[in-house]
Amino acid sequence: MTIDTIDLASSGRLTIDLAALEANYRILAARAAPGRAGAVVKANAYGLDARRVSRVLQRAGCEHFFVATLAEACALQPGLSPRAHLYVLNGLQPDAEMLCAKAGIIPVLNSLDQARRWAAMARRQGGPAPAALQVDSGMARLGLGAADLAELAADPDFFAHAPLALVLSHLACADEPDHPANQDQLARFHAMADSLPPAPRSLANSSGHFLGSGFIGDLTRPGVCLYGASAGEAAPPMRPVVALRASVLQVRDLPAGAGVGYGLTQVSDKPARIATIGVGYADGWPRALSHVGAVYFRGVRLPIVGRVSMDSFGVDVTGLGARGVDLAFGDEVELIGPHQTLEDVARLAGTIPYEILTRLGTRYHRTYLEELDMNKLAHTDRVDA
Ligand SMILES: *Cc1c(COP(=O)(O)O)cnc(C)c1O
């Protein structure tokens, strides 16, 4: 098939700007100095393709990558450079110690039991096995609490077998700069880390970069800002990475009083012109946008009418007529782009950009924009997925 027919055969067109991803990494890395910025590429790099994303980030100097599960780590590792450090945030399942150690993947030990099993494995192997240790500084999600940490800290034999590659903790309220929990967690994190042998420290996620230099530590763990989401008003804007467009499947004129879509939940009291767009909740376009979301055509807002279906939804295009514009089968509308950001879509759907990104569907035709030769070329080239 030619590219054009592939486009027509897909539900929509997702464009992922890898040059923007790289620019966002550089903003965060500058902010992390003199520490280093790593990258969180869990959930397939928030739905954008962990392999491609980490290739670009490695080129930009990133050497520390975080995934959630060992399966994600095993899938990603062959694509990383031998210099890269790959961490599994969700911890180590019993009996996965050897697999993890043999692959050179660094587990994030989240409990006393995980720590003991890892050290026992290293003892059996007769050599030290580096690991990361997570402490719970107040989020109550993962990591050792104060009592377990004290017990571990009193066991020098553990550190002989499991030298600490990293001590980390996670912030619960980093996206609310004035939340008092941030300073509490910062103080508790350092007090906990002080009870351990010296090791690099990591606390900040994306928004943690903008809480003040105290939060930076030795290594940061940005995720969502790499992928174009903003870290709030106090933070510099990130470059958008994702753009989403979809085609018009059909256009029809409705008389006053006719309903649109499942349940006929929306009825116009005036005649209306309705376009059906070929993307639905099976593509990750939230059903919560029913009645409240919109798309854009040549800069004009077209409100969603009725419910979002699995593979399509309706928009009211009546307003275009007054501008002398019409829509037809095959025309493309903007779902995420210059007129409607990822954050806008998330807000309208009552969710967060993370959820919109990680649910982006598999039916889109994906195009990765990449700067091929950063030294010479001013233009970007298209690399088709
Ligand atoms: C997901 C995650 C991150 C990245 O968070 P963002 O808000 O996307 O920057 C960092 N650290 C841990 C432990 C995480 O689970």
Side-chain angles (χ1 to χ4, degrees):
M1 287 198 288
T2 69
I3 286 177
D4 284 349
T5 52
I6 294 170
D7 279 0
L8 289 174
S10 314
S11 68
R13 292 212 290 134
L14 183 65
T15 305
I16 296 151
D17 186 343
L18 294 174
L21 167 84
E22 186 171 337
N24 293 340
Y25 177 76
R26 291 186 193 281
I27 293 172
L28 295 162
R31 198 81 192 182
R36 304 288 301 272
V40 179
V41 294
K42 61 192 180 188
N44 201 22
Y46 293 42
L48 301 187
D49 190 335
R51 282 227 183 186
R52 282 176 194 271
V53 161
S54 18
R55 182 164 43 72
V56 169
L57 295 179
Q58 285 190 124
R59 207 172 60 195
C62 183
E63 293 185 345
H64 298 265
F65 295 89
F66 295 85
V67 293
T69 67
L70 185 55
E72 288 180 336
C74 291
L76 179 61
Q77 203 205 29
L80 295 181
S81 103
R83 273 213 316 280
H85 307 265
L86 180 54
Y87 307 84
V88 180
L89 289 167
N90 273 7
L92 190 57
Q93 308 306 313
D95 300 328
E97 294 85 9
M98 276 308 297
L99 172 60
C100 197
K102 282 216 167 100
I105 293 164
I106 303 169
V108 173
L109 305 173
N110 283 326
S111 70
L112 207 47
D113 183 56
Q114 288 175 21
R116 296 232 159 97
R117 285 171 178 275
W118 182 256
M121 182 277 302
R123 213 173 284 124
R124 281 197 306 276
Q125 296 308 301
L133 186 72
Q134 180 156 217
V135 297
D136 177 17
S137 59
M139 185 176 180
R141 191 172 71 166
L142 288 170
L144 280 74
D148 285 348
L149 187 69
E151 203 175 323
L152 192 70
D155 178 7
D157 191 52
F158 169 79
F159 301 99
H161 291 97
L164 294 185
L166 194 66
V167 178
L168 67 138
S169 193
H170 195 48
L171 295 166
C173 307
D175 56 344
E176 299 173 59
D178 298 328
H179 201 296
N182 292 319
Q183 294 298 334
D184 290 351
Q185 282 199 265
L186 178 65
R188 205 167 307 142
F189 172 57
H190 285 302
M192 291 174 107
D194 286 345
S195 72
L196 297 166
R201 299 180 185 190
S202 173
L203 183 60
N205 66 337
S206 293
S207 15
H209 286 74
F210 308 102
L211 294 177
S213 55
F215 287 82
I216 293 297
D218 299 296
L219 179 67
T220 60
R221 305 186 311 271
V224 80
C225 278
L226 294 172
Y227 311 116
S230 140
E233 274 155 30
M238 297 290 141
R239 272 175 62 182
V241 172
V242 166
L244 180 59
R245 305 181 67 77
S247 301
V248 173
L249 301 180
Q250 204 170 11
V251 185
R252 75 187 66 247
D253 289 303
L254 288 185
V260 176
Y262 279 120
L264 303 177
T265 50
Q266 201 160 343
V267 177
S268 169
D269 54 6
K270 294 194 277 289
R273 191 162 166 78
I274 304 293
T276 303
I277 310 298
V279 155
Y281 60 77
D283 302 295
W285 185 246
R287 190 167 177 275
L289 292 174
S290 301
H291 312 294
V292 297
V295 304
Y296 284 78
F297 183 67
R298 299 198 192 153
V300 181
R301 183 177 185 276
L302 307 176
I304 295 179
V305 287
R307 291 184 186 156
V308 173
S309 299
M310 185 184 293
D311 319 293
S312 67
F313 61 95
V315 296
D316 187 341
V317 304
T318 316
L320 287 176
R323 296 174 157 85
V325 180
D326 198 13
L327 264 182
F329 174 62
D331 280 341
E332 278 199 341
V333 296
E334 171 190 325
L335 279 63
I336 300 172
H339 299 94
Q340 177 161 268
T341 64
L342 178 63
E343 281 90 346
D344 294 334
V345 171
R347 196 176 338 100
L348 288 167
T351 184
I352 50 177
Y354 302 72
E355 195 176 25
I356 302 294
L357 285 173
T358 54
R359 292 193 170 189
L360 288 169
T362 53
R363 294 193 293 187
Y364 296 129
H365 177 63
R366 292 183 173 223
T367 303
Y368 286 82
L369 304 180
E370 191 163 7
E371 276 184 287
L372 286 185
D373 183 338
M374 298 189 304
N375 297 322
K376 290 190 213 128
L377 295 184
H379 72 275
T380 58
D381 201 7
R382 286 172 161 243
V383 180
D384 280 296

